[in-house]
């Protein structure tokens, strides 16, 4: 069952989710880049540079085994995915910024995930340039197939049938959320014999990564004097990962240099559950801030 989950169910679920994300995007979401220069720079820098570096640093600091350490880097190299857009919406954040960051990252990771994965295997697996055997081309193609193709098809559906895309969106999101949760639970269930041994190894580090990166998102926003709405969105985008993509990438690397894909995907599976804790906090903070701003606006109107 585990092999079937990793080789078939997981990739299909990812494609299903990314197609749904594509139906929420338009070309305007990419054109919008020029409207958020500081926010885009902070978001991309945080996700594409700081997050993978922090993942690698924590893996070294924690003294993780090679599979778990590589899994942490893969996790940290993934984009936010549709979950970050939903959380940003619920938190009353800057959803256009969230969608733009997610859209751009979903295309850029075709190049960055293979790069960071290769570096992680070289460093943590002790492989040298002459012995390492990373299927870089296959990895790039797989990430492309898992992200760019379904997202592009979803955008095409949105372009040709906007009414259908908007109408099916809420229902599609619920099915995607159920599918994601089911896949994670099935993977956890299939590995239940070793779960009690694994959780103490990766539970603490995944919680730390989630809290640190969410905090870094807030810090970057503060340093750039960004509005609170954008600060909340930035924290969400940097703190939430597309863990299904990470699990699919890890599973594809099973057997490379003798590494276990089933172990490499564990940090992603655990993070996929843990990240909802900070996400709920962000939602509460964002909605409270929105209520305060609304109250101030009403008060200001009454005093005029």
């Amino acid at each position: 069952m585990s092999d079937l989950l990793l080789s078939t169910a997981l990739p299909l679920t990812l494609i299903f989710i990314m197609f749904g994300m594509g139906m929420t995007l338009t070309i305007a979401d990419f054109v919008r880049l020029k409207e958020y220069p500081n926010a885009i720079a902070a978001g991309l820098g945080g996700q594409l540079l700081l997050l993978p570096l922090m993942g690698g640093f924590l893996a070294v600091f924690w003294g993780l085994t090679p599979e778990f350490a590589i899994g942490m880097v893969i996790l940290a190299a993934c984009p936010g995915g549709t979950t970050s857009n939903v959380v940003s919406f619920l938190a009353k954040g800057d959803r256009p910024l969230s969608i733009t960051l997610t859209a751009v990252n979903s295309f850029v990771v075709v190049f960055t995930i293979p790069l960071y994965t290769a570096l992680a295997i070289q460093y943590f697996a002790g492989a040298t340039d002459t012995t390492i055997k990373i299927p870089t081309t296959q990895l790039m193609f797989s990430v492309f197939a898992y992200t760019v193709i379904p997202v592009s098809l979803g955008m095409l559906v949105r372009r040709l049938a906007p009414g259908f895309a908007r109408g099916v969106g809420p229902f599609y999101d619920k099915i995607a959320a159920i599918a994601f949760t089911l896949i994670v639970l099935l993977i956890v269930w299939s590995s239940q014999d070793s779960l009690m041994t694994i959780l103490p190894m990766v539970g603490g580090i995944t919680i730390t990564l989630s809290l640190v990166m969410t905090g870094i998102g807030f810090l970057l926003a503060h340093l750039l004097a960004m509005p609170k709405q954008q600060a909340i969105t930035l924290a969400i985008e940097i703190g939430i990962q597309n863990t299904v993509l990470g699990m699919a990438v890890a599973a594809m690397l099973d057997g490379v240099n003798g590494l276990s894909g089933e172990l490499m995907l564990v940090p992603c599976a655990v993070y996929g559950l843990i990240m909802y804790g900070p996400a709920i906090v962000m939602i509460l903070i964002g909605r409270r801030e929105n209520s305060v701003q609304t109250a101030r606006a009403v008060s200001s109107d009454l005093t005029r």
Side-chain angles (χ1 to χ4, degrees):
M1 180 176 181
S2 179
D3 291 341
L4 184 62
L5 280 173
L6 300 182
S7 64
T8 305
L10 186 56
L12 289 177
T13 301
L14 175 60
I15 292 171
F16 179 78
I17 291 173
M18 297 306 288
F19 176 80
M21 189 187 84
M23 287 197 295
T24 69
L25 301 175
T26 65
I27 298 298
D29 293 318
F30 297 90
V31 177
R32 195 183 289 121
L33 284 171
K34 65 180 184 295
E35 300 178 14
Y36 308 99
N38 290 339
I40 293 296
L44 294 180
Q47 288 183 308
L48 299 176
L49 295 175
L50 294 180
L51 190 51
L53 288 174
M54 182 59 65
F57 170 77
L58 290 177
V60 173
F61 181 80
W62 241 263
L64 296 182
T65 62
E67 280 94 344
F68 289 157
I70 295 166
M72 281 296 299
V73 175
I74 293 173
L75 162 67
C78 289
T82 53
T83 303
S84 63
N85 301 153
V86 174
V87 173
S88 183
F89 171 75
L90 294 175
K92 305 295 183 180
D94 191 327
R95 194 161 184 259
L97 172 62
S98 175
I99 291 174
T100 302
L101 285 172
T102 298
V104 174
N105 269 314
S106 294
F107 284 85
V108 175
V109 294
V110 171
F111 306 98
T112 56
I113 287 180
L115 172 63
Y116 287 128
T117 300
L119 293 174
I121 293 178
Q122 286 181 337
Y123 183 84
F124 292 108
T128 65
D129 292 336
T130 57
T131 62
I132 193 167
K133 297 178 181 178
I134 301 175
T136 305
T137 302
Q138 180 187 356
L139 185 57
M140 289 182 67
F141 176 79
S142 296
V143 175
F144 182 83
Y146 293 155
T147 57
V148 176
I149 291 178
V151 167
S152 299
L153 290 175
M155 291 178 66
L156 181 62
V157 170
R158 170 70 180 268
R159 178 62 182 258
L160 298 178
F164 170 79
R166 286 192 294 268
V168 78
F171 175 74
Y172 197 102
D173 287 344
K174 291 178 182 178
I175 297 299
I178 293 172
F180 163 73
T181 304
L182 184 61
I183 283 293
V184 171
L185 292 177
L186 285 174
I187 290 174
V188 170
W189 179 79
S190 67
S191 306
Q192 58 183 313
D193 292 339
S194 56
L195 191 59
M196 297 309 295
T197 303
I198 290 174
L199 277 180
M201 297 180 183
V202 298
I205 189 173
T206 50
I207 292 173
T208 301
L209 180 65
S210 179
L211 294 176
V212 168
M213 293 314 301
T214 300
I216 286 177
F218 270 122
L219 178 61
L220 288 174
H222 175 72
L223 293 176
L224 294 172
M226 292 166 56
K228 290 184 178 179
Q229 191 180 31
Q230 290 190 352
I232 290 170
T233 296
L234 199 64
I236 291 170
E237 283 294 321
I238 296 178
I240 289 180
Q241 301 300 97
N242 186 343
T243 54
V244 181
L245 174 59
M247 288 189 287
V249 170
M252 196 196 73
L253 294 172
D254 186 53
V256 172
N257 287 87
L259 297 169
S260 167
E262 194 165 351
L263 289 178
M264 282 191 284
L265 67 76
V266 167
C268 294
V270 174
Y271 196 90
L273 300 174
I274 286 175
M275 67 183 184
Y276 288 106
I280 291 173
V281 175
M282 291 296 98
I283 291 172
L284 294 175
I285 292 175
R287 296 181 79 88
R288 179 179 180 279
E289 181 63 28
N290 181 74
S291 298
V292 170
Q293 290 180 356
T294 301
R296 287 175 180 172
V298 172
S299 176
S300 177
D301 290 340
L302 291 175
T303 56
R304 287 178 182 177

